[in-house]
Amino acid sequence: MTDQAAPAGQAAKLPSNLAAVVFDLDGTLVDSAAELADALDRLLAEYDLPPAGVEATKRMVGDGARLLLGRGLQQAGVVLTPADFEAAFARFIDIYENELSNSSTLYPGARACLDGLARRGITLGLCTNKPARPTRQLLARLDLTDRFSAVVGGGDTAELKPHPLPLLTVVERLGARPETSLYVGDSRTDLETARAAGLTIALLPSGYGMQPVTLAESDLPAATLEDLTALLVPA
Ligand SMILES: O=C(O)COP(=O)(O)O
Ligand SMILES: [Mg+2]
């Protein structure tokens, strides 16, 4: 996922009484860039615009579907009126929900990480900016629905990350507290969300988002889900 190593001597700043772990979805548990690029490129094609491609799309993901589309149109040099943007967004969501390429896969070690944490008695949640319906569709497709005791996707609360509300909502639904919870994410949006909500964060520098994050900014020296399992789940 990344070739970054933890800075020498980086210590884990973990709550001693860890009760809950909340995961981000795109770029953290699931490698979904190709599927997202496919949805964006289909929309762009309907406007006779060239495709954005996977690498450019990766940089646009992390702040919800609306900003993803806005960034995709902007990089194609297109400015729509607010009404035309709403029509394009409705079509984008339609593609996203009904014409998915189904190419997203779990990152290596994702299932083992969830299993190991559950075995440790840690309760698991999911907090993503991905719209709620495709989030639930994707969880079902990957056979992950039952793993999470609380799931909040884009539109499930009045705010999106980096506002702390979605993450605090998951923590509350898990019956946990921010001080005893860990958020696992991949983007600067996730870092800001965790800080605003008062949670420790494990930041996996897998590369989605406008401004990539570095492992030095993480509270835990874990570059991958496998590293995270090694840190949190005793062998
Ligand atoms: O849809 C997005 O923008 C990103 O979703 P994420 O919050 O799971 O990274
Ligand atoms: Mg993400």
Side-chain angles (χ1 to χ4, degrees), residues 24-28 62 161 186-187 190 208:
D24 168 66
L25 188 59
D26 290 321
T28 296
K161 300 178 293 181
D186 74 309
S187 68
D190 296 329
Y208 288 9

Side-chain angles (χ1 to χ4, degrees), residues 24-27 61-65 96 127-131 161 186 190:
D24 168 66
L25 188 59
D26 290 321
V61 176
D63 297 299
Y96 205 130
C127 179
T128 172
N129 270 351
K130 194 180 200 66
K161 300 178 293 181
D186 74 309
D190 296 329

